[in-house]
Amino acid sequence: MSSSNESSDLVRVLARKDVLALAFGAMIGWGWIVLTGNFIVNAGSMGAIVAFLIGGAAVVLVGLTYAELAAAMPKVGGEHVYSYRALGHFASFICTWSIVLGYISVVAFEAVALPTVVESLFPGYSVGHLWTLSGWDVKLTWVLVGVVGSLIMMAINYFGVTMAALIQRLVTLLILAVGVLFITGALFTGETTTLQPLFTGGSGGIMSVLIMVPFLFVGFDVIPQAAEEINLPFRDIGRVLTLSVILAVVWYALIVFGTSLMMPASSLGGGVLAVPAAMEQVFQAPWASKLMILAGVAGIITSWNAFYIGGSRAIYALAHAGMLPAPLAKLHPKYRTPTNAIILIGVLSSLAPLLGRPAMVWLVDAGGLGIVIAYLFVALSFLVLRVREPDMPRPFFVRQGKLVGVLAVLLSIGMTGLYLPFSPSALTGTEWLVFGLWMLAGLAMYVWALKTYGKGYAERVMTREYH
């Protein structure tokens, strides 16, 4: 396996601001533009904020387990390394392949979200009927926007993590600038009367928002995937990861609050893009709404970019350890990027627009299950290593670690349960099909790689480089 010694060739070039922009930008995405109105309608203004604070606290607990492990084992692949050391060969594959589904689902989601957003800016641009899928007409120009966007993001990541990090930093600054403009404007011009009702639907309303938190906050886990390219003291990797989650909680809570100050719940919901509409109310001008939609486009770019980075590094780590075919572990001789893994993600995400808008829901839900499965494996790895290797150097040490680990495991199990058949938010048959086909395809490659390279190959690689 010719690439077996290339892990050390990844270059540590990501500074603190790059890492923070990577994680925060990944968590901000497009969801806050389209879903905030529904959150306020379903739970009330304060109910939605409470849901984000509760859900954010849960994600912070899971994030703390990641922070300690990422600082202790700052190697490419993140979950792959921790779960291998704590739980073994097969568990490591299942954990990492599950999170790869989550990452690719977000990348594919953005390839479908982009043409949807463009339609908000340029109504009627979709022409050239191709076919109808699940009652939705797929149009040629609509598909082309998504495919071209995906290929551009693939090219950015292909030509080096430095370029990808620069774009991430600049676009994240644009989102923050527009967000600060909106929040400060809402505080000065908004009316507290529009905050009513503070709570809607009681605990059920809060739960309806809470079940969306795992999807909205996925992204902090991109930091461990790129840990071998981060140029920071190992302790600071954990600190930046934790800070990124806290900033995302504050962001979502402030966006809900600002929107509620500008518009009553009766004006929200349905097809209304609540945050752009509230921005227009702040400045009493249509351009303000367009500016906020552009901030949403920026969110698509930051999320898209971050998950290209995270997904490609996770695939690379699996292939590098002999758990996937060797070509996926190839690094570009000049740019030091996992080129074949990036191309694979680019091809898969470029196919998503061909499925039309229904694909957004299928991909998000199936990928969400993969993400929370990985969270569970990481939390278990955290606990196992605390018991089995208490003296392992931990530059970022979580106090009350066993309590935090147990809570993270329980919360991960709870989040996993949201996707199972007994839950009101259970996956549909199509979504189970997506998840099942993904896992079967991965297992087929895993078995082939195992027969070709043997389990001992992974043991030698992981022992030599990750211990």
Side-chain angles (χ1 to χ4, degrees):
M1 201 171 173
S2 61
S3 56
S4 63
N5 63 352
E6 289 185 329
S7 180
S8 61
D9 289 339
L10 290 165
V11 183
R12 291 191 182 275
V13 295
L14 298 178
R16 188 185 310 272
K17 55 193 175 186
D18 299 317
V19 179
L20 189 59
L22 185 67
F24 180 74
M27 287 183 278
I28 296 307
W30 168 249
W32 57 283
I33 291 286
V34 295
L35 298 175
T36 296
N38 291 334
F39 294 154
I40 297 169
V41 170
N42 293 338
S45 58
M46 290 299 106
I49 292 173
V50 167
F52 276 108
L53 294 178
I54 294 172
V59 174
V60 167
L61 287 173
V62 175
L64 284 172
T65 66
Y66 268 87
E68 179 172 294
L69 294 171
M73 291 169 276
K75 297 293 182 178
V76 63
E79 293 92 345
H80 165 66
V81 181
Y82 323 145
S83 55
Y84 185 92
R85 188 160 177 170
L87 306 173
H89 197 283
F90 184 66
S92 176
F93 173 79
I94 293 296
C95 173
T96 314
W97 191 244
S98 296
I99 199 81
V100 170
L101 171 61
Y103 291 159
I104 291 181
S105 73
V106 176
V107 172
F109 169 87
E110 307 301 2
V112 176
L114 180 63
T116 303
V117 178
V118 171
E119 204 160 23
S120 299
L121 294 171
F122 306 101
Y125 89 96
S126 297
V127 295
H129 182 268
L130 297 177
W131 47 74
T132 300
L133 189 62
S134 295
W136 199 81
D137 294 333
V138 181
K139 302 291 183 67
L140 176 62
T141 53
W142 192 92
V143 169
L144 286 176
V145 169
V147 172
V148 170
S150 181
L151 294 177
I152 290 173
M153 295 307 301
M154 182 180 72
I156 289 170
N157 279 272
Y158 185 94
F159 290 117
V161 72
T162 302
M163 179 187 292
L166 174 61
I167 291 173
Q168 187 80 0
R169 199 163 65 241
L170 293 174
V171 179
T172 301
L173 285 173
L174 170 62
I175 299 171
L176 287 173
V178 176
V180 169
L181 194 65
F182 170 61
I183 296 300
T184 54
L187 289 174
F188 281 105
T189 62
E191 299 287 342
T192 55
T193 55
T194 61
L195 294 173
Q196 299 294 335
L198 298 179
F199 295 91
T200 301
S203 59
I206 293 175
M207 281 296 298
S208 69
V209 178
L210 197 56
I211 61 173
M212 291 297 296
V213 169
F215 170 71
L216 292 173
F217 280 80
V218 63
F220 67 87
D221 41 283
V222 170
I223 290 179
Q225 298 297 344
E228 211 162 314
E229 296 161 280
I230 295 174
N231 187 24
L232 284 177
F234 296 155
R235 183 178 184 181
D236 288 357
I237 294 176
R239 289 174 170 174
V240 172
L241 190 154
T242 306
L243 176 61
S244 71
V245 178
I246 294 172
L247 288 176
V249 174
V250 172
W251 172 269
Y252 280 107
L254 286 177
I255 289 296
V256 168
F257 186 63
T259 303
S260 299
L261 282 174
M262 298 309 305
M263 300 183 70
S266 58
S267 301
L268 305 175
V272 176
L273 292 178
V275 184
M279 182 74 160
E280 184 171 343
Q281 289 295 317
V282 170
F283 294 96
Q284 295 295 306
W287 63 261
S289 174
K290 300 295 186 184
L291 178 62
M292 186 58 79
I293 291 175
L294 287 175
V297 174
I300 289 176
I301 293 171
T302 57
S303 181
W304 213 342
N305 190 42
F307 287 105
Y308 253 105
I309 294 173
S312 60
R313 272 58 177 181
I315 292 172
Y316 165 83
L318 285 174
H320 179 69
M323 297 184 190
L324 287 177
L328 292 172
K330 178 184 176 182
L331 291 178
H332 193 282
K334 178 180 178 182
Y335 304 116
R336 315 316 301 164
T337 53
T339 52
N340 288 344
I342 290 170
I343 291 170
L344 174 63
I345 294 175
V347 170
L348 292 175
S349 65
S350 295
L351 294 174
L354 296 172
L355 301 176
R357 197 175 295 172
M360 294 175 71
V361 178
W362 303 337
L363 295 168
V364 165
D365 290 347
L369 177 57
I371 289 163
V372 296
I373 287 173
Y375 287 174
L376 175 58
F377 274 75
V378 171
L380 287 170
S381 299
F382 174 89
L383 280 177
V384 168
L385 290 172
R386 272 295 183 100
V387 174
R388 185 188 297 165
E389 300 187 45
D391 298 326
M392 181 176 71
R394 292 173 169 86
F396 182 92
F397 186 80
V398 176
R399 296 181 180 180
Q400 301 295 321
K402 291 184 179 178
L403 175 61
V404 170
V406 169
L407 290 174
V409 168
L410 294 175
L411 289 166
S412 299
I413 292 173
M415 287 189 287
T416 303
L418 296 174
Y419 298 86
L420 300 181
F422 56 81
S423 169
S425 55
L427 298 186
T428 66
T430 302
E431 292 158 358
W432 278 115
L433 181 63
V434 171
F435 180 81
L437 289 175
W438 176 262
M439 297 308 293
L440 286 174
L443 287 171
M445 288 189 287
Y446 173 79
V447 170
W448 180 87
L450 201 60
K451 288 181 179 179
T452 303
Y453 312 120
K455 185 178 287 189
Y457 181 88
E459 292 172 355
R460 290 192 298 274
V461 170
M462 302 298 281
T463 301
R464 181 175 67 248
E465 298 185 11
Y466 299 153
H467 279 243

